[in-house]
Amino acid sequence: MDQLSQALVSGLLLGGFYAIMVLGFSVIWGVMGVINLAHGEFLMIGAYLAWGLFRFFGIDPFASLALILPLMFLVGYLLQITLINRIVERPHLMTLLVTFGVSIALANLAKIVFTSDPRNVAVAYSGSFQFAGVTFPIVKTIIFAAALLIMGGLHLFLQRSRLGKSIRAAAQNKTAARIVGVDINRVYAITAGICIALTAAAGAMLSPTQAIFPFMGPPFTLKAVTITALGGLGRIPGALMGGLVLGVTEIFVATYVAGIGTNLGVATSFILLVLILVVRPQGLMGGLRPVDAEAD
Amino acid sequence: MTNGPPADKNGNETGKKARFPSLAPVHSLLAGWTGLALWLLLLLLLALYPYTGVSSLALLVGSQIFVLVTLASNWNLIGGMTGYVDFGHAVFFGVGAYIMAILVTGAPLLISPQWGFWQALPASGAAAALFALLIGLPTLRLKGPYFSIAMLGTLVAMREIVRVSRPITGGGIGLNLPPVLNRIGDYYLMLAIMGLVVSLIWWIQRSEFGQSLIAIREDEVGAEMRGINTTLHKIAAFMIAAFFTGVVGGFWAWQNTFIDPDGVFVETRTVEMVMMSMLGGLGTVWGPPLGAVAIYLLQNLLWSNLFEWHLLALGLLLVLIVLFMPEGILGTLGDRSSTSLGRLLARFGRNR
């Protein structure tokens, strides 16, 4: 029983991180139909930025979000207007290939700049506390709380603000949004900026909990796809639900399948992904964009 | 039947005019028997090449180029002709490499102590094809980007699984194969495999099987309604592509004498295959070999000058090719709609 509740709590905490990790990916896919294969690489960049700020300026990873968010917003904005907006209306294959190319380029750029030695961010509060007989790692608990906070904020922004409404309009019907005067390219660029910033923020928050290295990205991209398939496109509650399901599944596999540890995280989520896609091609909650969208 | 690329048989090529009209006859000649004749002539010349007294380094370079050409042609069969863009094709390379390594080193779990290279080589291809059957049954049901991502997932997951299954695969430490230096043998073996694969692709392109694959690419539902068993065709193409990729993987493991999960199950190898096919012309017979040679030359140029930056440049190059030359060399020089992306662009254009 004790092991069960511990595994459940660990899974939920991991799931909270997954939920915040997946948001950017899910919203980009939902709004512009672009599957961003460089997602994990932006997470990696966020983690490296947090490491650099911590190592050289002594800034706490959570405080460094104040710098990382605007910086990465700019990066995402520029990437969108220079690159992705050119091909966003072309066949899916082209956006896949371009983001794949970007991911390879970013990972190897990071390898050149930071070398492939793993880096760690050793914060002072890296311990854990006991509550009701269950161990809560402090950092992961903070991430979980921050995840809920950020998701609430993003939800409010998308539902209430004028800009959020035009983003949703562009996602629902591009032509109609254009007719009523939404500048699609600008909305896309802002969306990409927000999403890349969120992804980098997730990476920065991740930095105290695991080693940072240039090729850490692809597993996160893959998990993001799985969670999106679980929870639906561009839906914030769906991202939370999907993240929690994947987190709990992963920890349960690690706890109850002997001799594996957490080494099979990607394999677990991959099997989950293929199962979902084969059994329910529209995603578990529905709403995955039909692939033949490029034909109509 | 003797001239004109098979895609022209539909007779509705109303897309963009070729940018170099004078080259169009050359292009259509290449797709027919003339192309095969020229290819066989080239193979003959390459077979005579070692007799000119070249260094063993030149032979190594030759066999490396043949490996790339074979990989690109294989990827093109599933990614270009059938239209299932496989982002994890390196997984078959890895499976082939590991089967070869496990068989020739006589890893503990096997009853027969050690296999010879010649028994292990077809076995690594067969294992990759079997793996393709198992993995293709679920994943080939997925469409478009979902297939690509599922295959990328296969690759990353296999890397983890191989690293964890330490008793069989040596885990993250990898496996050492017996070092056997035989440059001239390597050269001729890869030449033969490459010749076989490219000729096979040429034949497939002209056969009913290949036309069915192209029909699946253009309109899968339509193909199914015309009575094409799409599942069977896709699986068959996937298994053929996987078989030869596995053989090449086995050969590579043998030549390299050392493999580990990070060395064979790498995304970079998939990127290379995709890029070579794209640069030459996706879905054409001669495009991927052309692209493979071009990328090899380009890489060597980059490799010698900016060693560290070469993978970064590779990624950027992929972006540039997609942005500015999606139809590839053959599509740009000749008939734009002979390549699969050219056709896709001509059909869907900018409006979706």
Side-chain angles (χ1 to χ4, degrees):
Chain A
M1 187 59 208
D2 221 25
Q3 195 188 17
L4 179 68
S5 54
Q6 179 65 57
L8 198 62
V9 165
S10 304
L12 290 177
L13 290 181
L14 183 65
F17 165 70
Y18 281 160
I20 181 75
M21 184 273 287
V22 80
L23 270 185
F25 180 83
S26 167
V27 170
I28 285 188
W29 192 354
V31 171
M32 38 191 144
V34 169
I35 299 176
N36 179 15
L37 288 180
H39 177 74
E41 274 65 30
F42 287 111
L43 187 110
M44 177 265 299
I45 290 177
Y48 266 116
L49 284 177
W51 171 79
L53 289 170
F54 181 78
R55 170 84 174 66
F56 297 109
F57 302 100
I59 303 175
D60 183 89
F62 290 95
S64 69
L65 290 184
L67 286 169
I68 291 173
L69 280 170
L71 179 69
M72 292 307 284
F73 177 85
L74 204 64
V75 169
Y77 191 92
L78 291 177
L79 186 79
Q80 182 72 23
I81 53 176
T82 52
L83 201 59
I84 310 295
N85 269 345
R86 288 166 180 270
I87 48 161
V88 72
E89 298 184 354
R90 299 295 184 93
H92 271 305
L93 173 58
M94 295 178 71
T95 49
L96 273 182
L97 286 169
V98 163
T99 53
F100 199 31
V102 168
S103 88
I104 298 290
L106 285 180
N108 286 289
L109 183 67
K111 190 185 162 198
I112 294 166
V113 176
F114 300 106
T115 75
S116 44
D117 302 335
R119 309 287 187 189
N120 287 297
V121 176
V123 290
Y125 46 89
S126 60
S128 54
F129 64 90
Q130 299 277 331
F131 181 75
V134 178
T135 311
F136 288 80
I138 295 175
V139 175
K140 290 186 176 174
T141 314
I142 301 178
I143 294 177
F144 189 82
L148 292 182
L149 207 67
I150 292 178
M151 268 184 284
L154 188 69
H155 186 74
L156 277 182
F157 167 73
L158 285 178
Q159 295 296 327
R160 297 290 164 82
S161 76
R162 194 176 167 77
L163 196 56
K165 282 176 183 164
S166 34
I167 289 176
R168 285 191 296 135
Q172 275 171 9
N173 190 331
K174 200 177 356 176
T175 317
R178 270 206 183 106
I179 290 171
V180 298
V182 175
D183 181 353
I184 292 284
N185 280 346
R186 185 171 152 269
V187 165
Y188 277 2
I190 291 174
T191 311
I194 293 172
C195 291
I196 303 290
L198 278 179
T199 309
M205 293 195 281
L206 177 73
S207 62
T209 64
Q210 80 158 69
I212 307 162
F213 54 99
F215 300 102
M216 67 194 278
F220 288 106
T221 309
L222 198 68
K223 285 173 187 173
V225 181
T226 309
I227 296 168
T228 310
L230 275 167
L233 278 182
R235 297 178 183 177
I236 293 166
L240 181 61
M241 202 247 359
L244 294 180
V245 169
L246 183 66
V248 171
T249 313
E250 233 175 68
I251 296 289
F252 270 56
V253 168
T255 313
Y256 291 105
V257 183
I260 282 182
T262 51
N263 292 326
L264 283 183
V266 173
T268 312
S269 68
F270 161 67
I271 292 166
L272 207 59
L273 171 69
V274 171
L275 277 181
I276 298 165
L277 287 181
V278 169
V279 179
R280 271 181 73 86
Q282 69 275 41
L284 211 58
M285 309 266 285
L288 281 195
R289 186 171 287 224
V291 178
D292 297 332
E294 59 188 48
D296 57 25
Chain B
M1 197 58 196
T2 45
N3 58 16
D8 280 356
K9 275 193 292 188
N10 304 328
N12 56 354
E13 308 293 87
T14 50
K16 288 279 173 67
K17 288 255 170 62
R19 263 167 260 181
F20 299 91
S22 56
L23 282 173
V26 180
H27 189 72
S28 62
L29 265 182
L30 279 180
W33 286 95
T34 326
L36 187 70
L38 286 175
W39 170 244
L40 293 177
L41 187 66
L42 181 67
L43 286 182
L44 186 67
L45 290 178
L46 286 173
L48 293 175
Y49 175 64
Y51 288 99
T52 56
V54 291
S55 65
S56 78
L57 180 69
L59 292 176
L60 178 66
V61 167
S63 60
Q64 279 174 348
I65 293 183
F66 300 159
V67 161
L68 291 182
V69 169
T70 315
L71 289 179
S73 292
N74 271 320
W75 188 86
N76 179 49
L77 178 62
I78 188 74
M81 281 182 168
T82 322
Y84 275 72
V85 178
D86 183 352
F87 277 168
H89 207 69
V91 76
F92 304 120
F93 184 92
V95 168
Y98 261 97
I99 293 297
M100 165 64 81
I102 289 170
L103 289 180
V104 298
T105 53
L109 285 185
L110 291 164
I111 310 147
S112 153
Q114 274 175 13
W115 290 41
F117 174 70
W118 292 106
Q119 291 100 47
L121 194 66
S124 42
L130 188 67
F131 186 71
L133 177 67
L134 293 178
I135 208 78
L137 281 175
T139 57
L140 281 172
R141 295 175 56 178
L142 309 175
K143 302 274 180 329
Y146 302 114
F147 172 77
S148 309
I149 290 163
M151 286 309 296
L152 188 63
T154 313
L155 177 67
V156 181
M158 272 308 282
R159 187 165 62 210
E160 276 192 350
I161 291 171
V162 165
R163 194 178 291 141
V164 171
S165 348
R166 190 146 180 195
I168 310 173
T169 60
I173 304 164
L175 287 170
N176 283 301
L177 285 82
V180 177
L181 195 67
N182 182 2
R183 293 267 181 259
I184 188 98
D186 289 352
Y187 181 89
Y188 278 113
L189 175 63
M190 265 328 291
L191 182 67
I193 295 176
M194 174 184 77
L196 182 65
V197 167
V198 178
S199 311
L200 184 70
I201 304 277
W202 176 86
W203 177 79
I204 286 177
Q205 167 98 339
R206 298 170 64 86
S207 70
E208 196 183 329
F209 175 62
Q211 292 299 306
S212 308
L213 294 183
I214 292 171
I216 289 171
R217 177 186 84 200
E218 299 288 310
D219 181 357
E220 186 158 349
V221 178
E224 200 156 1
M225 289 201 289
R226 289 293 295 269
I228 296 172
N229 186 342
T230 51
T231 313
L232 185 71
H233 279 80
K234 286 187 291 186
I235 291 274
F238 203 43
M239 284 178 70
I240 293 172
F243 178 83
F244 287 107
T245 310
V247 168
V248 173
F251 167 79
W252 187 88
W254 180 257
Q255 194 186 34
N256 203 44
T257 71
F258 169 73
I259 55 168
D260 65 345
D262 292 331
V264 293
F265 292 106
V266 280
E267 291 89 348
T268 320
R269 204 176 303 283
T270 308
V271 186
E272 276 178 358
M273 293 186 218
V274 180
M275 279 180 63
M276 293 182 295
S277 304
M278 295 254 332
L279 183 63
L282 211 58
T284 62
V285 179
W286 309 112
L290 193 66
V293 175
I295 295 274
Y296 185 86
L297 295 178
L298 208 60
Q299 260 187 347
N300 264 28
L301 209 68
L302 294 172
W303 191 270
S304 49
N305 289 327
L306 25 113
F307 179 76
E308 280 214 298
W309 294 79
H310 115 275
L311 282 172
L312 169 65
L314 206 66
L316 292 180
L317 194 62
L318 178 59
V319 173
L320 291 179
I321 293 174
V322 177
L323 281 184
F324 298 111
M325 228 170 91
E327 307 101 340
I329 297 174
L330 287 187
T332 310
L333 290 182
D335 187 359
R336 185 183 178 202
S337 48
S338 65
T339 71
S340 61
L341 248 179
R343 284 185 74 90
L344 210 56
L345 284 173
R347 265 206 320 208
F348 298 132
R350 273 192 70 80
N351 294 316
R352 168 151 54 95

